[in-house]
Amino acid sequence: MASDRKHKQPNRIPIRFFDGDDSREPDNDTYFVDGDLPTEGAADLADLRPAIAEPPAIESGFGGPQLAELVASRAELKRLQAALAEAQEGLARRQADFENYRKRIERERGEAYNRVVGEVAHKLLPVVDNLARALDAEKTVQSGESREFRHFLHGVELINRQLNDVLESLGIQPIAAVGERFDPHIHEAVVTEPSDEYEPDTVTEELVRGYRIGDRLLRPAMVKVAAREEK
């Protein structure tokens, strides 16, 4: 009956070939399917028509999915490295811009501070000059005055010293004059006369004290300068 018939799988007969040395493992097994064997005149095995079932090739390393994942990971790594380099470059550029901005703001703030303080100090300097002149004049007659007057004069000296300390705390510095080389940028020569004590073009006396704040000149010092002797 047709229902009892079953599709019979062909029988495979393994045949192994040895090349002289029986101890060597065969490389592959060759299979012959029923009906492929010659029925007559089979003188040697070279006339056989084997149906060789070759085993699938095995590649070394990763397979397909692993290799694709590795390639994708490397591409993503390169993209992240490029993004990191770009971010670092942008950060360095922003830091440089911020540093330049900070320096500019500090410079402008310092200039504004010096300008405001200089304007106030410029109005106080005449008061300081008059107070110093009064003290210099009273020191010559101090010995002949009473004790109460000397105490009063000592109080005025303390006030003058405190006022100069306030000017110094604001960054206002007096300009060095006596004994210095005459500098037309900070000195104003009022009188010139020959001197045996100082070399020519040297400040011999300070008539009015000069002041500066930072690099800004508030007032030049009015000085007497030693002149060259005419022969």
Side-chain angles (χ1 to χ4, degrees):
M1 297 178 62
S3 60
D4 295 334
R5 294 178 182 177
K6 296 181 179 179
H7 180 71
K8 296 176 65 177
Q9 298 292 333
N11 297 325
R12 298 178 182 271
I13 303 173
I15 299 177
R16 297 184 179 181
F17 298 93
F18 300 91
D19 189 11
D21 189 2
D22 295 340
S23 61
R24 185 171 59 85
E25 292 293 333
D27 295 337
N28 294 297
D29 290 341
T30 304
Y31 297 89
F32 291 89
V33 185
D34 292 346
D36 290 338
L37 293 176
T39 57
E40 58 183 10
D44 50 17
L45 296 177
D47 296 334
L48 298 178
R49 295 179 291 104
I52 302 175
E54 296 181 356
I58 302 176
E59 297 179 358
S60 60
F62 294 97
Q66 293 85 354
L67 183 59
E69 184 178 358
L70 178 60
V71 172
S73 300
R74 289 181 177 177
E76 181 66 14
L77 178 60
K78 291 182 179 180
R79 187 188 68 81
L80 293 177
Q81 288 176 343
L84 178 60
E86 184 179 359
Q88 289 176 343
E89 182 180 358
L91 178 61
R93 185 165 52 250
R94 285 177 174 81
Q95 286 179 344
D97 293 341
F98 176 77
E99 187 66 19
N100 294 333
Y101 170 78
R102 185 183 62 82
K103 291 180 179 179
R104 186 177 69 255
I105 292 299
E106 289 181 355
R107 182 175 62 254
E108 293 176 355
R109 183 183 301 172
E111 292 175 355
Y113 173 82
N114 292 341
R115 183 174 61 255
V116 173
V117 174
E119 291 176 357
V120 175
H122 191 72
K123 296 179 180 180
L124 290 177
L125 291 182
V127 179
V128 176
D129 295 338
N130 292 331
L131 189 58
R133 293 190 187 97
L135 290 174
D136 292 339
E138 293 298 333
K139 285 180 180 179
T140 59
V141 296
Q142 180 174 308
S143 58
E145 299 294 337
S146 63
R147 179 180 300 177
E148 291 78 7
F149 181 80
R150 288 197 298 269
H151 288 169
F152 170 77
L153 185 60
H154 181 67
V156 175
E157 290 176 350
L158 293 178
I159 294 174
N160 180 61
R161 188 179 308 169
Q162 185 177 8
L163 182 58
N164 283 279
D165 291 340
V166 171
L167 294 177
E168 184 177 357
S169 66
L170 295 175
I172 300 174
Q173 298 292 334
I175 296 176
V178 179
E180 298 293 329
R181 187 78 174 177
F182 176 76
D183 186 355
H185 297 93
I186 58 176
H187 299 145
E188 182 178 348
V190 179
V191 181
T192 59
E193 62 181 7
S195 176
D196 297 334
E197 183 180 358
Y198 297 96
E199 295 181 357
D201 297 331
T202 303
V203 177
T204 61
E205 184 179 352
E206 182 183 61
L207 303 178
V208 178
R209 180 166 294 183
Y211 292 91
R212 74 194 319 167
I213 177 170
D215 296 333
R216 181 185 177 188
L217 181 65
L218 294 178
R219 187 180 66 184
M222 298 182 181
V223 296
K224 181 187 295 186
V225 183
R228 299 181 180 274
E229 295 182 0
E230 297 181 359
K231 297 183 181 179

